[in-house]
Amino acid sequence: MHDVSGVGQALVDPSGNTLYFAQQETGGMIKCTGDCVSVWVPATGTSAETKAVSGLGLMKRSDTGQEQLTYQGKPLYTFKLDNGPSQSKGNNAKDSFGGMSFTWHAATTTAAAAPSSGPSSNPSSAPSSTGGGNGY
């Protein structure tokens, strides 16, 4: 956990990058696949790491078989456009991949309200794998 400006106590990966979840991924359903994972990178971990924070767990991705970190059952991701620790450019971001719309939120352990402003994009088609030009 790390204090992220405007977000509160957010979950972070070992490098200090903010972890996010998609509002649309509930009940252990992973919907961010294909081009989506080129922008929202699945957070990986070990069972030892999940013991560090209450609510952390692991689930197997159906598309790659990789173990992905979860928080309170929600799959976690890092955001490619966060340029280092304590950034939260992906908080409240909206985007679409393969015809599915996503709304992303920083995974927090505090009740602090996240700012309502944030990057928004609604491309008519899936973005390129470079993630460039998506309105972020």
Side-chain angles (χ1 to χ4, degrees), residues 43-123:
T44 59
T46 64
S47 57
E49 291 170 325
T50 63
K51 294 176 181 153
V53 176
S54 178
L56 273 184
L58 290 171
M59 70 182 298
K60 189 174 290 274
R61 290 184 60 91
S62 60
D63 58 342
T64 63
Q66 187 177 36
E67 292 286 333
Q68 183 168 350
L69 280 174
T70 63
Y71 182 62
Q72 297 178 343
K74 299 172 188 147
L76 297 175
Y77 301 82
T78 57
F79 184 46
K80 187 175 182 178
L81 300 180
D82 279 352
N83 296 317
S86 301
Q87 291 197 354
S88 60
K89 293 177 183 176
N91 193 40
N92 296 320
K94 296 181 184 203
D95 52 24
S96 296
F97 297 93
M100 170 147 306
S101 295
F102 294 93
T103 303
W104 299 89
H105 303 287
T108 63
T109 59
T110 59
S116 60
S117 65
S120 180
S121 174
N122 193 7

